[in-house]
Amino acid sequence: QVQLVESGGGLVQAGDSLRLSCAASGVSFRTSAMGWFRQAPGKEREFVAAISWSGGNTYHVNSVKGRFTISRDNAKNTVYLQMNSLKPEDTAVYLCAARMTTDGRMWYARESQYDNWGQGTQVTVSS
């Protein structure tokens, strides 16, 4: 079991940067693929990025590619989402998710593929 706590959200202006963190507790973090999702008011939850537990494989959805970067530090049991050039349409609650896997190369893009979720951190981007 992995417990997840997100932090780093806030209110910023368009063009600014934020770095979100997701701190994990539980012995299975180092063998968990991690993902970031977001949910804007009135919209469905949306996949943003994912990373394998080895850290060697990552994926970013097209709308954030080139602006956001997912990374992890297994020594700190933390996954990050560096967000640059933020836009008003990036406004959402950002949630991290974890899924244990035996394959260190795997990442996952669907909500149903994740076993554990954080509570989320709010990101608001003003124009």
Side-chain angles (χ1 to χ4, degrees):
Q1 192 76 5
V2 178
Q3 290 78 46
L4 307 172
V5 179
E6 302 94 335
S7 62
L11 172 62
V12 297
Q13 293 187 332
D16 285 350
S17 298
L18 281 174
R19 188 176 79 156
L20 304 184
S21 299
C22 174
S25 59
V27 297
S28 55
F29 175 80
R30 298 186 182 193
T31 55
S32 292
M34 302 296 294
W36 283 99
F37 291 75
R38 64 186 180 185
Q39 188 162 19
K43 295 188 177 181
E44 294 188 352
R45 191 170 293 180
E46 174 190 25
F47 168 71
V48 176
I51 188 167
S52 61
W53 63 248
S54 70
N57 292 327
T58 63
Y59 183 82
H60 301 77
V61 70
N62 283 342
S63 60
V64 307
K65 201 169 290 185
R67 300 188 299 122
F68 292 10
T69 303
I70 189 170
S71 62
R72 67 189 295 159
D73 185 338
N74 285 347
K76 296 182 178 180
N77 281 11
T78 301
V79 63
Y80 305 98
L81 186 67
Q82 178 67 44
M83 306 188 296
N84 300 327
S85 302
L86 282 160
K87 304 176 181 180
E89 52 263 42
D90 294 319
T91 295
V93 174
Y94 284 72
L95 307 100
C96 68
R99 177 207 165 109
M100 290 182 63
T101 174
T102 57
D103 189 339
R105 302 166 298 176
M106 290 296 295
W107 53 266
Y108 303 92
R110 295 198 298 270
E111 285 184 64
S112 60
Q113 293 175 309
Y114 286 90
D115 306 310
N116 297 281
W117 292 82
Q119 294 298 308
T121 185
Q122 176 71 47
V123 172
T124 303
V125 185
S126 64
S127 57

